[in-house]
């Protein structure tokens, strides 16, 4: 009996050791091979398009990969060009109206200082002069300490900001190099996809091959479903904002809706990065009607996002809505904003491994045969 549990413990430790070593190896290897990992991911996603070009249109595999890459690049370039054109058009409009709004804002600040700050300053000065010398010295010392702290904080921020500029500038050549290597590696990986798959099939054992195929197919469906879900959520947000801005008769509603929809990709902040400053400005300038309308629209966007996100994610990636909601919350609590993406992706991977009986096989290995 003791011998059986000893073997099980050793097999369990062996599994844990292999998993840990695999993660460590992947972490260090990815630092020098990440352009090719990026290429592998891109090839994975464009493979269905390449297969359509190759099998349906009878195009040679190499040419099909080239056409797929060029088509995707052209689509992205066209979309960016459209967005830039809309943004430039909106920027020209803002260049005409911002000076007027800025004058209004400055006038409001001047009136606020005259009516509120100066009387408050005089009142505080009168109260300060009535204090004893020791109390005055304490207050002055505390004010000096606060000023010193603020000054050192601002100085450190500016020092770090300017100190990082060379690093940021040096990033661009590296990014261009990575882009070129990733593009070339994507072409060769996608071109030789079938051959690489056959090599992998020969190397892997039959059991690992069958489980790996199940994991690969489920992950492909889940990842495509996850991207589809995010695009659906962003599209819904953009349409709601566009309709709301048209109802409120806001100029350049299409441009603002597109920009806000793109900003919605940012986890947690999302549309608030656009709406909150906008609403505050409208309140300051006295446009209470527009401020209330924007507030209602912002609240509607937040509510629909919270309601629709778990449902759309679960329906597209095949997960339970409650499990998806838990994954979103746990991911956010553990690693912050990025966890809102990592959480559901991790849940997808674990669910896929479970459906492929990977955990069952590992447990069977740990238990071993009867009597061992």
């Amino acid at each position: 009996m003791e011998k059986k549990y000893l073997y099980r413990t050793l097999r369990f430790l062996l599994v844990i050791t292999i998993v840990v070593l695999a993660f460590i190896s992947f972490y260090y290897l990815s630092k020098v091979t990440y352009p090719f990992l990026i290429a592998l991911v891109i090839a994975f996603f464009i493979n269905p398009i390449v297969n359509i070009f190759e099998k349906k249109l009878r195009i040679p595999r190499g040419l099909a990969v080239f056409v797929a890459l060029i088509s995707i690049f052209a689509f992205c370039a066209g979309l960016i060009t459209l967005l830039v054109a809309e943004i430039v058009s909106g920027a020209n409009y803002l260049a005409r109206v911002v000076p007027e709004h800025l004058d209004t804002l400055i006038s409001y600040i001047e009136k606020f200082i005259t009516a509120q700050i100066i009387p408050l300053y005089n009142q505080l000065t009168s109260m300060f002069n009535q204090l004893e010398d020791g109390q005055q010295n304490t207050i002055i010392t505390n004010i000096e300490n606060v000023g010193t702290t603020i000054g050192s904080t601002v100085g450190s921020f500016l020092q770090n900001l300017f100190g990082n500029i060379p690093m940021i500038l040096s990033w661009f050549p590296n990014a261009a190099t990575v882009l070129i290597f990733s593009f070339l590696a994507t072409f060769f990986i996608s071109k030789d996809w079938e051959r690489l798959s056959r090599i992998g099939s020969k190397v892997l054992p039959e059991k690992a091959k069958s489980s790996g195929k199940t994991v690969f197919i489920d992950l492909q469906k889940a990842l495509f479903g996850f991207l589809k879900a995010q695009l659906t959520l962003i599209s819904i947000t953009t349409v709601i904002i566009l309709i709301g801005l048209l109802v409120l008769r806001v100029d350049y509603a299409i441009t603002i809706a597109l920009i806000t929809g793109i900003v919605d990709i940012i986890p947690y902040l999302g549309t608030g990065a656009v709406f909150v400053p906008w609403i505050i400005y409208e309140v300051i300038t006295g446009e209470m009607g527009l401020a209330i309308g924007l507030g209602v629209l912002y609240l509607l966007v937040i509510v629909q996002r919270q309601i629709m996100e778990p449902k759309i994610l679960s329906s597209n990636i095949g997960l339970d809505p409650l499990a998806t909601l838990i994954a979103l919350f746990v991911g956010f609590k553990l690693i912050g904003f990025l966890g809102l993406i990592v959480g559901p992706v991790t849940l997808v991977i674990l669910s896929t491994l479970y459906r492929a009986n990977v955990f069952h096989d590992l447990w069977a290995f740990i238990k071993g045969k009867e009597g061992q």
Side-chain angles (χ1 to χ4, degrees):
M1 182 66 68
E2 293 180 359
K3 187 177 179 181
K4 179 179 69 174
Y5 288 116
L6 176 61
Y7 285 149
R8 288 183 179 180
T9 303
L10 292 175
R11 282 191 288 263
F12 175 76
L13 292 175
L14 176 62
V15 170
I16 295 298
T17 302
I18 292 174
V19 171
V20 171
L21 289 176
F23 274 108
I24 294 175
S25 301
F26 177 79
Y27 174 76
Y28 284 104
L29 285 174
S30 63
K31 289 186 175 182
V32 294
T33 60
Y34 63 92
F36 306 100
L37 295 177
I38 294 172
L40 181 63
V41 172
I42 297 174
F44 172 76
F45 280 111
I46 70 170
N47 200 47
I49 302 175
V50 174
N51 289 336
I52 292 175
F53 288 156
E54 180 186 18
K55 297 177 181 178
K56 300 293 184 180
L57 302 181
R58 305 292 182 182
I59 299 176
R61 180 79 183 183
L63 181 60
V65 175
F66 181 77
V67 171
L69 289 173
I70 294 299
S71 300
I72 294 172
F73 179 79
F75 173 78
C76 293
L79 183 61
I80 292 173
T81 303
L82 176 63
L83 291 176
V84 169
E86 288 291 333
I87 292 172
V88 169
S89 177
N92 291 331
Y93 167 75
L94 292 176
R96 294 194 304 269
V97 301
V98 162
E100 300 176 4
H101 292 303
L102 188 59
D103 291 338
T104 304
L105 181 60
I106 292 173
S107 176
Y108 173 83
I109 293 174
E110 290 175 349
K111 292 179 181 177
F112 178 77
I113 292 174
T114 303
Q116 302 292 332
I117 302 299
I118 293 178
L120 179 62
Y121 172 77
N122 293 331
Q123 184 179 359
L124 291 174
T125 302
S126 176
M127 294 173 60
F128 179 79
N129 292 329
Q130 295 175 4
L131 297 174
E132 298 178 358
D133 292 340
Q135 293 174 328
Q136 292 180 0
N137 292 331
T138 302
I139 292 175
I140 292 173
T141 302
N142 290 331
I143 292 174
E144 290 176 350
N145 291 334
V146 171
T148 303
T149 303
I150 294 174
S152 62
T153 303
V154 173
S156 299
F157 172 76
L158 292 176
Q159 184 178 5
N160 292 331
L161 177 64
F162 290 113
N164 288 328
I165 288 177
M167 183 184 68
I168 295 172
L169 293 177
S170 65
W171 177 82
F172 287 100
N174 180 65
T177 304
V178 170
L179 183 63
I180 294 172
F181 273 92
S182 297
F183 185 85
L184 293 174
T186 300
F187 175 81
F188 290 115
I189 291 174
S190 184
K191 177 178 176 293
D192 297 329
W193 186 269
E194 297 297 333
R195 184 175 65 84
L196 294 175
S197 299
R198 287 195 298 269
I199 293 174
S201 298
K202 294 178 181 178
V203 172
L204 293 175
E206 190 63 32
K207 181 64 177 178
K209 185 167 61 176
S210 61
S211 298
K213 184 177 180 181
T214 304
V215 171
F216 178 80
I217 294 173
D218 286 352
L219 276 179
Q220 187 178 32
K221 292 179 180 177
L223 290 175
F224 274 109
F226 182 78
L227 293 176
K228 180 182 176 183
Q230 293 299 326
L231 290 175
T232 302
L233 289 169
I234 293 171
S235 300
I236 293 174
T237 300
T238 303
V239 170
I240 291 176
I241 293 173
L242 177 60
I243 294 173
L245 294 180
L246 290 175
V247 171
L248 295 173
R249 297 183 179 180
V250 175
D251 294 327
Y252 289 90
I254 296 177
T255 302
I256 297 173
L258 287 174
I259 294 174
T260 311
I262 295 172
V263 173
D264 192 43
I265 299 174
I266 302 174
Y268 194 70
L269 287 178
T271 54
V274 174
F275 274 103
V276 172
W278 192 3
I279 293 171
I280 293 174
Y281 174 79
E282 297 300 339
V283 171
I284 291 175
T285 55
E287 297 289 340
M288 293 303 299
L290 181 57
I292 293 172
L294 292 174
V296 172
L297 178 59
Y298 179 45
L299 182 63
L300 180 63
V301 169
I302 291 176
V303 170
Q304 72 84 20
R305 178 80 182 195
Q306 298 301 317
I307 293 175
M308 297 297 293
E309 185 169 15
K311 181 176 178 59
I312 292 178
L313 281 175
S314 62
S315 61
N316 281 276
I317 61 182
L319 297 177
D320 181 76
L322 179 60
T324 306
L325 190 62
I326 293 173
L328 289 168
F329 182 78
V330 172
F332 173 72
K333 283 296 183 180
L334 289 178
I335 57 176
F337 302 149
L338 188 62
L340 296 176
I341 298 175
V342 175
V345 171
T346 303
L347 183 61
V348 166
I349 294 173
L350 292 177
S351 176
T352 302
L353 294 175
Y354 176 77
R355 287 196 296 268
N357 292 322
V358 173
F359 298 129
H360 178 271
D361 294 340
L362 288 176
W363 181 244
F365 171 76
I366 292 172
K367 287 178 64 177
K369 298 180 181 178
E370 289 297 327
Q372 292 185 354

